[in-house]
Short mmCIF file of all heavy atoms in Angstrom, two decimals:
data_model
loop_
_atom_site.label_atom_id
_atom_site.label_comp_id
_atom_site.label_asym_id
_atom_site.label_seq_id
_atom_site.Cartn_x
_atom_site.Cartn_y
_atom_site.Cartn_z
N VAL A 61 -2.35 4.54 -12.07
CA VAL A 61 -1.37 5.57 -12.46
C VAL A 61 -1.31 5.49 -13.98
O VAL A 61 -0.59 4.68 -14.55
CB VAL A 61 0.00 5.32 -11.80
CG1 VAL A 61 0.99 6.40 -12.21
CG2 VAL A 61 -0.13 5.27 -10.27
N THR A 62 -2.09 6.34 -14.62
CA THR A 62 -2.29 6.29 -16.06
C THR A 62 -1.40 7.31 -16.78
O THR A 62 -0.85 8.23 -16.17
CB THR A 62 -3.74 6.62 -16.40
OG1 THR A 62 -4.03 7.96 -15.96
CG2 THR A 62 -4.72 5.64 -15.71
N ALA A 63 -1.30 7.14 -18.09
CA ALA A 63 -0.57 8.11 -18.92
C ALA A 63 -1.20 9.49 -18.77
O ALA A 63 -0.49 10.49 -18.74
CB ALA A 63 -0.56 7.65 -20.38
N GLU A 64 -2.52 9.54 -18.68
CA GLU A 64 -3.21 10.81 -18.51
C GLU A 64 -2.81 11.50 -17.21
O GLU A 64 -2.51 12.69 -17.20
CB GLU A 64 -4.73 10.59 -18.55
CG GLU A 64 -5.52 11.86 -18.39
CD GLU A 64 -7.03 11.61 -18.37
OE1 GLU A 64 -7.46 10.46 -18.59
OE2 GLU A 64 -7.75 12.59 -18.16
N LEU A 65 -2.79 10.74 -16.12
CA LEU A 65 -2.37 11.31 -14.83
C LEU A 65 -0.92 11.79 -14.92
O LEU A 65 -0.61 12.91 -14.51
CB LEU A 65 -2.50 10.27 -13.72
CG LEU A 65 -1.90 10.65 -12.37
CD1 LEU A 65 -2.54 11.91 -11.81
CD2 LEU A 65 -1.99 9.50 -11.39
N MET A 66 -0.05 10.96 -15.47
CA MET A 66 1.36 11.34 -15.58
C MET A 66 1.55 12.55 -16.48
O MET A 66 2.49 13.33 -16.30
CB MET A 66 2.19 10.16 -16.05
CG MET A 66 2.32 9.07 -14.98
SD MET A 66 3.37 7.72 -15.48
CE MET A 66 2.23 6.70 -16.39
N GLY A 67 0.66 12.74 -17.44
CA GLY A 67 0.71 13.91 -18.31
C GLY A 67 0.57 15.21 -17.54
O GLY A 67 1.13 16.23 -17.93
N ALA A 68 -0.16 15.17 -16.44
CA ALA A 68 -0.35 16.38 -15.61
C ALA A 68 0.82 16.59 -14.66
O ALA A 68 0.91 17.63 -14.01
CB ALA A 68 -1.65 16.25 -14.82
N LEU A 69 1.71 15.60 -14.59
CA LEU A 69 2.85 15.67 -13.68
C LEU A 69 4.13 15.78 -14.50
O LEU A 69 4.89 14.83 -14.64
CB LEU A 69 2.87 14.40 -12.79
CG LEU A 69 1.56 14.07 -12.06
CD1 LEU A 69 1.66 12.75 -11.33
CD2 LEU A 69 1.14 15.18 -11.13
N SER A 70 4.36 16.95 -15.04
CA SER A 70 5.42 17.12 -16.04
C SER A 70 6.83 16.88 -15.52
O SER A 70 7.72 16.54 -16.29
CB SER A 70 5.32 18.51 -16.67
OG SER A 70 5.47 19.51 -15.68
N LYS A 71 7.08 17.03 -14.22
CA LYS A 71 8.43 16.81 -13.69
C LYS A 71 8.56 15.45 -12.99
O LYS A 71 9.57 15.19 -12.34
CB LYS A 71 8.79 17.93 -12.72
CG LYS A 71 8.97 19.26 -13.43
CD LYS A 71 9.61 20.27 -12.55
CE LYS A 71 9.81 21.53 -13.38
NZ LYS A 71 10.15 22.67 -12.60
N LEU A 72 7.57 14.60 -13.16
CA LEU A 72 7.57 13.29 -12.49
C LEU A 72 8.79 12.47 -12.91
O LEU A 72 9.06 12.31 -14.10
CB LEU A 72 6.28 12.54 -12.80
CG LEU A 72 6.04 11.26 -11.99
CD1 LEU A 72 5.87 11.59 -10.50
CD2 LEU A 72 4.80 10.54 -12.51
N GLU A 73 9.51 11.97 -11.93
CA GLU A 73 10.69 11.14 -12.15
C GLU A 73 10.53 9.74 -11.59
O GLU A 73 11.26 8.83 -11.99
CB GLU A 73 11.91 11.79 -11.48
CG GLU A 73 12.26 13.16 -11.98
CD GLU A 73 13.35 13.81 -11.13
OE1 GLU A 73 13.98 13.13 -10.31
OE2 GLU A 73 13.56 15.03 -11.30
N LEU A 74 9.61 9.58 -10.63
CA LEU A 74 9.52 8.31 -9.90
C LEU A 74 8.11 8.02 -9.47
O LEU A 74 7.42 8.90 -8.94
CB LEU A 74 10.43 8.39 -8.66
CG LEU A 74 10.45 7.21 -7.72
CD1 LEU A 74 11.02 5.97 -8.40
CD2 LEU A 74 11.27 7.54 -6.47
N VAL A 75 7.67 6.77 -9.69
CA VAL A 75 6.41 6.27 -9.14
C VAL A 75 6.79 5.20 -8.13
O VAL A 75 7.48 4.22 -8.47
CB VAL A 75 5.50 5.67 -10.23
CG1 VAL A 75 4.26 5.03 -9.62
CG2 VAL A 75 5.09 6.74 -11.23
N LEU A 76 6.38 5.38 -6.88
CA LEU A 76 6.67 4.43 -5.81
C LEU A 76 5.39 3.70 -5.44
O LEU A 76 4.41 4.34 -5.03
CB LEU A 76 7.19 5.16 -4.57
CG LEU A 76 8.41 6.00 -4.74
CD1 LEU A 76 8.05 7.47 -4.75
CD2 LEU A 76 9.37 5.69 -3.63
N ALA A 77 5.38 2.39 -5.58
CA ALA A 77 4.22 1.59 -5.20
C ALA A 77 4.59 0.81 -3.94
O ALA A 77 5.60 0.11 -3.92
CB ALA A 77 3.84 0.62 -6.33
N SER A 78 3.78 0.95 -2.90
CA SER A 78 4.09 0.22 -1.66
C SER A 78 3.63 -1.22 -1.76
O SER A 78 3.82 -1.99 -0.83
CB SER A 78 3.45 0.91 -0.47
OG SER A 78 2.05 0.83 -0.55
N SER A 79 3.06 -1.61 -2.88
CA SER A 79 2.60 -2.98 -3.12
C SER A 79 3.72 -3.78 -3.78
O SER A 79 4.72 -3.23 -4.21
CB SER A 79 1.38 -2.96 -4.02
OG SER A 79 1.73 -2.37 -5.27
N VAL A 80 3.50 -5.07 -3.88
CA VAL A 80 4.46 -5.93 -4.58
C VAL A 80 4.27 -5.77 -6.09
O VAL A 80 5.24 -5.66 -6.84
CB VAL A 80 4.28 -7.40 -4.17
CG1 VAL A 80 5.13 -8.33 -5.01
CG2 VAL A 80 4.63 -7.56 -2.69
N GLY A 81 3.04 -5.69 -6.54
CA GLY A 81 2.76 -5.58 -7.96
C GLY A 81 2.72 -4.14 -8.44
O GLY A 81 2.64 -3.20 -7.65
N VAL A 82 2.81 -4.01 -9.77
CA VAL A 82 2.72 -2.68 -10.40
C VAL A 82 1.69 -2.70 -11.53
O VAL A 82 1.77 -1.89 -12.44
CB VAL A 82 4.09 -2.20 -10.90
CG1 VAL A 82 5.03 -1.87 -9.74
CG2 VAL A 82 4.74 -3.20 -11.83
N ASP A 83 0.72 -3.61 -11.46
CA ASP A 83 -0.30 -3.72 -12.50
C ASP A 83 -1.10 -2.44 -12.64
O ASP A 83 -1.68 -2.19 -13.69
CB ASP A 83 -1.26 -4.88 -12.18
CG ASP A 83 -0.58 -6.22 -12.22
OD1 ASP A 83 0.58 -6.31 -12.68
OD2 ASP A 83 -1.20 -7.19 -11.77
N HIS A 84 -1.16 -1.63 -11.61
CA HIS A 84 -1.94 -0.40 -11.63
C HIS A 84 -1.17 0.78 -12.25
O HIS A 84 -1.71 1.86 -12.38
CB HIS A 84 -2.38 -0.05 -10.21
CG HIS A 84 -1.25 0.19 -9.25
ND1 HIS A 84 -0.38 -0.81 -8.86
CD2 HIS A 84 -0.83 1.31 -8.63
CE1 HIS A 84 0.51 -0.31 -8.04
NE2 HIS A 84 0.26 0.97 -7.88
N VAL A 85 0.07 0.54 -12.63
CA VAL A 85 0.91 1.60 -13.21
C VAL A 85 1.08 1.35 -14.70
O VAL A 85 1.39 0.23 -15.13
CB VAL A 85 2.30 1.61 -12.52
CG1 VAL A 85 3.19 2.69 -13.15
CG2 VAL A 85 2.16 1.83 -11.03
N ASP A 86 0.86 2.37 -15.50
CA ASP A 86 1.06 2.26 -16.96
C ASP A 86 2.57 2.28 -17.22
O ASP A 86 3.19 3.33 -17.35
CB ASP A 86 0.37 3.42 -17.68
CG ASP A 86 0.42 3.32 -19.19
OD1 ASP A 86 1.32 2.62 -19.71
OD2 ASP A 86 -0.42 3.96 -19.84
N LEU A 87 3.16 1.08 -17.25
CA LEU A 87 4.61 0.97 -17.38
C LEU A 87 5.11 1.46 -18.74
O LEU A 87 6.20 2.02 -18.82
CB LEU A 87 5.05 -0.47 -17.13
CG LEU A 87 4.77 -0.99 -15.72
CD1 LEU A 87 5.14 -2.48 -15.61
CD2 LEU A 87 5.52 -0.18 -14.68
N ALA A 88 4.32 1.26 -19.79
CA ALA A 88 4.73 1.74 -21.11
C ALA A 88 4.85 3.26 -21.11
O ALA A 88 5.82 3.82 -21.66
CB ALA A 88 3.74 1.26 -22.18
N ALA A 89 3.91 3.93 -20.49
CA ALA A 89 3.98 5.40 -20.42
C ALA A 89 5.18 5.83 -19.58
O ALA A 89 5.85 6.82 -19.92
CB ALA A 89 2.69 5.95 -19.82
N CYS A 90 5.48 5.09 -18.52
CA CYS A 90 6.66 5.42 -17.70
C CYS A 90 7.93 5.25 -18.52
O CYS A 90 8.83 6.10 -18.45
CB CYS A 90 6.69 4.53 -16.46
SG CYS A 90 5.43 4.94 -15.24
N ARG A 91 8.02 4.16 -19.29
CA ARG A 91 9.21 3.94 -20.13
C ARG A 91 9.38 5.07 -21.13
O ARG A 91 10.48 5.58 -21.32
CB ARG A 91 9.11 2.60 -20.85
CG ARG A 91 9.70 1.45 -20.06
CD ARG A 91 9.81 0.19 -20.91
NE ARG A 91 8.54 -0.40 -21.29
CZ ARG A 91 7.80 -1.17 -20.52
NH1 ARG A 91 8.19 -1.47 -19.31
NH2 ARG A 91 6.66 -1.66 -20.96
N ARG A 92 8.28 5.45 -21.79
CA ARG A 92 8.36 6.52 -22.79
C ARG A 92 8.87 7.83 -22.19
O ARG A 92 9.60 8.56 -22.84
CB ARG A 92 6.98 6.77 -23.43
CG ARG A 92 6.58 5.75 -24.46
CD ARG A 92 5.35 6.19 -25.26
NE ARG A 92 4.18 6.45 -24.46
CZ ARG A 92 3.29 5.51 -24.07
NH1 ARG A 92 3.47 4.25 -24.40
NH2 ARG A 92 2.25 5.84 -23.35
N ARG A 93 8.50 8.09 -20.94
CA ARG A 93 8.90 9.35 -20.31
C ARG A 93 10.15 9.23 -19.46
O ARG A 93 10.61 10.21 -18.88
CB ARG A 93 7.76 9.85 -19.42
CG ARG A 93 6.56 10.27 -20.21
CD ARG A 93 5.85 11.51 -19.73
NE ARG A 93 6.38 12.26 -18.65
CZ ARG A 93 5.67 12.71 -17.61
NH1 ARG A 93 4.38 12.44 -17.52
NH2 ARG A 93 6.24 13.44 -16.67
N GLY A 94 10.70 8.03 -19.35
CA GLY A 94 11.89 7.84 -18.53
C GLY A 94 11.62 7.93 -17.05
O GLY A 94 12.50 8.29 -16.26
N ILE A 95 10.40 7.59 -16.64
CA ILE A 95 10.01 7.63 -15.23
C ILE A 95 10.35 6.29 -14.60
O ILE A 95 9.93 5.23 -15.09
CB ILE A 95 8.50 7.93 -15.08
CG1 ILE A 95 8.17 9.32 -15.65
CG2 ILE A 95 8.06 7.81 -13.63
CD1 ILE A 95 6.68 9.61 -15.77
N ALA A 96 11.11 6.31 -13.53
CA ALA A 96 11.45 5.09 -12.79
C ALA A 96 10.23 4.63 -12.00
O ALA A 96 9.44 5.44 -11.52
CB ALA A 96 12.62 5.36 -11.86
#
Side-chain angles (χ1 to χ4, degrees):
V61 181
T62 62
E64 180 182 355
L65 171 60
M66 289 184 275
L69 309 174
S70 60
K71 292 192 177 168
L72 189 65
E73 300 172 12
L74 177 65
V75 174
L76 302 105
S78 66
S79 61
V80 173
V82 290
D83 296 348
H84 61 294
V85 179
D86 185 338
L87 296 175
C90 289
R91 270 191 292 280
R92 282 192 302 274
R93 292 219 6 226
I95 297 170

